[in-house]
Amino acid sequence: MSYQNLITELTDNILHITINREKALNALNSATLSELAEVIEFAGENNEVRGVLLTGAGEKAFVAGADIKEFSDYDARQGTELAKNGQAKVFDAIEHSKKPFIAAINGFALGGGLELAMACHIRIAADHAKLGLPEVTLGLIPGYGGTQRLTQLVGKGKAIELIITANMIDATEAQKIGLVNYVVPQAQLHAKAHELFAAIKQRAPLAVSAAIKAVIASVNGAEGYAVEIEAFGKCFDTGDFKEGVSAFVEKRKPNFNGK
């Protein structure tokens, strides 16, 4: 895979995606979003990929927002399409992926950058990272799922406060309110992500996907209990279930193959 704005590498079944626009603080322009949509689709379809690690180039920014110059003269119709297409092809595609996405927040995660991190299933922040949704300073609101996912993660009151004040918070505060899972020194950021992936890769791949689907259903207006019951039942027809039970009875480690 070759991209203009991304660096990708598949190592030990983990797809590393680095947004590579360091001079622009890894801002999301239309070309970058298109490339992200393509690589997200690849991750979902490729059986070698067990998880995705998403980060930004350098140590200053994960993603410092969207490329404002690209839509500065948009009207309402164009703005609606911008949000609709971006959500469907990138942000929702990450959240609904069958593969777990971990965001390694290596610096500023602002606007669309924080929305990108929130679309991921797990977030790890470097201890110097700053996070926020500053859209109201431009006369806008978050348009890539930020109002919804921030509320799901931190609650209505805190979400409204952060959005309408446009205040940034540091990584420690983000962890305190549930916005990120872990805060680590910059040098340990990828190591922590790989520690989590090492645990995930020992689990049954189809069960991991089913669990993600059921949890996401609980916060997205679907009948979460029904989705869980259906997904639970389907697990019984998998070879991974049979292997898991056999390994338990035989007191050995399971050898899952995702079938």
Side-chain angles (χ1 to χ4, degrees), residues 144-161:
Y144 287 139
T147 63
Q148 306 304 297
R149 293 189 178 100
L150 185 62
T151 303
Q152 292 162 5
L153 289 166
V154 308
K156 180 177 71 173
K158 196 64 179 178
I160 290 175
E161 176 193 340

Side-chain angles (χ1 to χ4, degrees), residues 2-6 19-21 26-39 66-67 70 74 82 89-90 144:
S2 179
Y3 299 102
Q4 294 295 315
N5 300 293
L6 306 177
I19 299 171
N20 188 34
R21 303 187 70 224
N26 302 318
L28 297 175
N29 60 5
S30 58
T32 304
L33 287 169
S34 294
E35 291 182 359
L36 280 170
E38 184 178 328
V39 76
D67 194 328
E70 284 197 340
Y74 277 20
L82 178 72
K89 295 178 180 179
V90 177
Y144 287 139

Side-chain angles (χ1 to χ4, degrees), residues 219-241:
V219 295
N220 281 349
E223 180 49 65
Y225 290 106
V227 172
E228 179 186 280
I229 289 168
E230 181 182 7
F232 175 78
K234 287 182 177 179
C235 288
F236 283 83
D237 279 341
T238 66
D240 279 351
F241 167 69

Side-chain angles (χ1 to χ4, degrees), residues 33-234:
L33 287 169
S34 294
E35 291 182 359
L36 280 170
E38 184 178 328
V39 76
I40 292 163
E41 184 177 4
F42 167 83
E45 295 176 349
N46 190 302
N47 291 332
E48 290 186 45
V49 177
R50 294 288 306 277
V52 180
L53 177 58
L54 180 61
T55 193
E59 297 186 359
K60 193 169 184 179
F62 171 72
V63 172
D67 194 328
I68 298 167
K69 293 179 182 178
E70 284 197 340
F71 56 79
S72 59
D73 60 349
Y74 277 20
D75 59 20
R77 180 190 60 80
Q78 291 170 306
T80 300
E81 287 301 310
L82 178 72
K84 183 178 180 180
N85 291 333
Q87 286 201 46
K89 295 178 180 179
V90 177
F91 299 83
D92 289 350
I94 289 173
E95 184 174 61
H96 293 283
S97 175
K98 297 181 291 184
K99 312 296 175 66
F101 275 69
I102 295 180
I105 303 171
N106 55 305
F108 288 109
L110 304 176
L114 181 53
E115 290 177 297
L116 188 65
M118 290 192 293
C120 294
H121 305 112
I122 299 172
R123 284 155 296 284
I124 307 169
D127 52 13
H128 72 284
K130 303 287 186 181
L131 304 88
L133 294 173
E135 284 86 350
V136 296
T137 66
L138 300 173
L140 294 171
I141 67 169
Y144 287 139
T147 63
Q148 306 304 297
R149 293 189 178 100
L150 185 62
T151 303
Q152 292 162 5
L153 289 166
V154 308
K156 180 177 71 173
K158 196 64 179 178
I160 290 175
E161 176 193 340
L162 291 174
I163 292 169
I164 68 174
T165 64
N167 288 339
M168 285 192 297
I169 59 173
D170 61 24
T172 300
E173 178 67 13
Q175 184 182 31
K176 180 181 177 181
I177 64 176
L179 182 52
V180 302
N181 300 68
Y182 298 96
V183 176
V184 298
Q186 172 76 26
Q188 298 176 21
L189 191 60
H190 285 209
K192 183 62 181 179
H194 284 288
E195 176 188 320
L196 293 171
F197 278 129
I200 293 167
K201 288 195 295 181
Q202 294 180 52
R203 317 310 175 197
L206 295 179
V208 168
S209 297
I212 291 172
K213 179 180 179 180
V215 171
I216 297 304
S218 75
V219 295
N220 281 349
E223 180 49 65
Y225 290 106
V227 172
E228 179 186 280
I229 289 168
E230 181 182 7
F232 175 78
K234 287 182 177 179

